[in-house]
């Protein structure tokens, strides 16, 4: 993977599984921590990362509700 994750070819966040979203989020964090790339790309990556975080939180909350319903 390149130093900056390509958001132009990324799938819509809401179509990703938890594992896919988390893996992409981790790749974005590594890329941003590396500090390579242009500011505009970094801002786009940060925005995508924020959306991925919200998506993961929503999936976790839904899973927690299912577990609570079972218990």
């Amino acid at each position: 993977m390149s130093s900056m994750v390509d958001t132009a070819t990324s799938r819509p966040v809401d179509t990703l599984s938890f594992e896919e979203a988390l893996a992409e989020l981790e790749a974005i964090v590594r890329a941003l921590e590396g500090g390579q790339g242009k500011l505009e790309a970094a801002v786009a990556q940060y925005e995508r990362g924020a959306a991925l975080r919200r998506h993961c939180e929503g999936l976790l909350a839904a899973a927690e509700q299912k577990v609570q319903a079972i218990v």
Side-chain angles (χ1 to χ4, degrees):
M1 188 169 281
S2 69
S3 62
M4 291 302 289
V5 179
D6 185 10
T7 56
T9 59
S10 298
R11 290 176 28 210
V13 170
D14 62 348
T15 66
L16 299 174
S17 69
F18 176 81
E19 293 78 10
E20 291 169 327
L22 185 59
E24 186 177 343
L25 181 56
E26 289 171 344
I28 287 171
V29 169
R30 281 191 303 276
L32 290 173
E33 286 178 343
Q36 302 299 313
K38 298 188 183 214
L39 178 60
E40 186 174 305
V43 170
Q45 288 302 315
Y46 184 86
E47 290 172 345
R48 173 103 175 152
L52 288 164
R53 181 190 55 81
R54 286 189 302 274
H55 181 61
C56 286
E57 287 174 347
L59 292 173
L60 284 173
E64 184 177 341
Q65 287 178 344
K66 289 179 184 178
V67 169
Q68 290 300 320
I70 293 169
V71 175

